[in-house]
Amino acid sequence: MVTIRVLVADDQEAAREALRSILDGEPDIDVVATAADGAEAVHQALWRRPDVVVMDLRMPGMDGIAAIDHLAGAQSAPRVLALTTFDLDEYLFGALRAGAAGFLLKDSDPDVLITAVRELHQGRGLIDPQVTGRLISRFAALSPRPATPELDLLTPREHDVLRLLARGLSNGEIAAACTIEEGTVKTHVNRILTKLGLRTRVHAAIYAHEHGLVARDAPGPGAASGIARPRGT
C-alpha cells in the first residue's frame, strides 16, 4: 500500500490536532509534520517532503497564500489542499492563483477531507461545490481577458469540455452532456491541461472564466442534477 505523506498547517492547535487525528487514522495516510504558520509550513515541507499539504489560509506572519506561492516554486512541490471559510473570498482567489490544487471549507465532513487528500495525491484537483459556486459568481463578474495563443490549440470538443468543466460539472455529467464516454472526458481534460499549461481542473475553470468562455448566465455546479459533492479530475 502506498502511504501518502501529509503536512498539516493551521495556527490553531486544536484544529491541527483534529486534522492530524482524522488523517492519521487512515491506513494509507501518514501525517509527517504539522506547522503553526506559513513560514513553518514552508520549512517543514522542504525538509519532510510531504506529498500533500493541508493548508489553512488565514495564519499569522506568513499566511497560507504566501506559503503556497513559496511551495509552488519548489522542486517536486507538494500538492496543496487549502482550507477556507465561506466568507474569505480574497484568501480563496489568492490561493488559487498561488497554485493550490484543491479547496475545502473548514467544516467539511472528515470523509470529504480524506477523499480530498487522496485525490490530490493522485494528481487530481478537488474543490468543494459551494466554493465552486462562489468562483463561478466571482469570475462571471469580471471583464474577460484577451484569448491566449494556447487556446487555439484546443479542438472544438475540448472547448466544449472546458466550458462544462468551468461550470462545475463532474466528468460523468460532462460525458452525458456531450454524449461521450467518461473515459473520453478524462482524456480531453488531460489534453486541455497540457495544452494550456495548467496543473489542475481548478485552474482550468479559472482560465475559462477569466477568458470569457463561460456564459454569464450559465447554471452553477449540480444545477441540472442536484449533485452536491466535491469534483475530481
Side-chain angles (χ1 to χ4, degrees):
M1 180 181 296
V2 175
T3 299
I4 306 170
R5 295 168 54 82
V6 175
L7 165 66
V8 172
D10 196 299
D11 64 315
Q12 297 182 358
E13 183 177 1
R16 287 198 307 275
E17 291 307 311
L19 291 167
R20 179 204 284 270
S21 178
I22 291 169
L23 296 172
D24 258 345
E26 296 301 304
D28 59 334
I29 298 175
D30 180 20
V31 178
V32 297
T34 62
D37 59 41
E40 186 180 4
V42 172
H43 173 74
Q44 291 283 1
L46 295 178
W47 177 36
R48 298 284 189 173
R49 297 293 181 183
D51 302 303
V52 177
V53 176
V54 178
M55 183 86 73
D56 182 20
L57 295 183
R58 194 174 189 179
M59 294 185 289
M62 180 187 289
D63 64 15
I65 296 174
I68 293 168
D69 188 55
H70 273 75
L71 292 176
Q75 186 175 10
S76 301
R79 308 274 287 178
V80 179
L81 174 65
L83 298 182
T84 182
T85 53
F86 197 63
D87 59 346
L88 290 176
D89 281 359
E90 293 310 315
Y91 280 87
L92 171 62
F93 299 122
L96 272 169
R97 291 191 172 93
F103 293 87
L104 288 181
L105 299 181
K106 294 191 76 171
D107 59 357
S108 296
D109 290 339
D111 287 346
V112 176
L113 171 65
I114 294 165
T115 297
V117 168
R118 289 172 176 154
E119 289 290 305
L120 264 66
H121 182 249
Q122 292 295 319
R124 295 185 283 266
L126 187 146
I127 187 165
D128 189 292
Q130 295 182 76
V131 177
T132 302
R134 290 288 280 257
L135 287 174
I136 290 174
S137 297
R138 173 65 174 267
F139 284 105
L142 300 177
S143 297
R145 294 182 178 183
T148 63
E150 292 80 8
L151 191 58
D152 292 334
L153 299 176
L154 301 186
T155 66
R157 176 62 80 190
E158 288 166 352
H159 275 276
D160 293 339
V161 170
L162 178 58
R163 291 188 183 96
L164 294 172
L165 179 157
R167 284 170 45 194
L169 273 66
S170 68
N171 287 342
E173 291 167 329
I174 295 173
C178 295
T179 320
I180 56 179
E181 296 295 327
E182 188 169 347
T184 304
V185 175
K186 293 181 180 179
T187 298
H188 285 314
V189 170
N190 288 333
R191 287 176 178 169
I192 289 167
L193 297 180
T194 298
K195 290 179 179 181
L196 298 181
L198 303 171
R199 294 182 63 190
T200 72
R201 68 188 292 133
V202 175
H203 297 101
I206 294 173
Y207 179 97
H209 282 284
E210 286 186 325
H211 292 83
L213 304 181
V214 183
R216 293 173 182 264
D217 59 350
S225 63
I227 292 175
R229 64 176 185 276
R231 313 294 191 189
T233 297

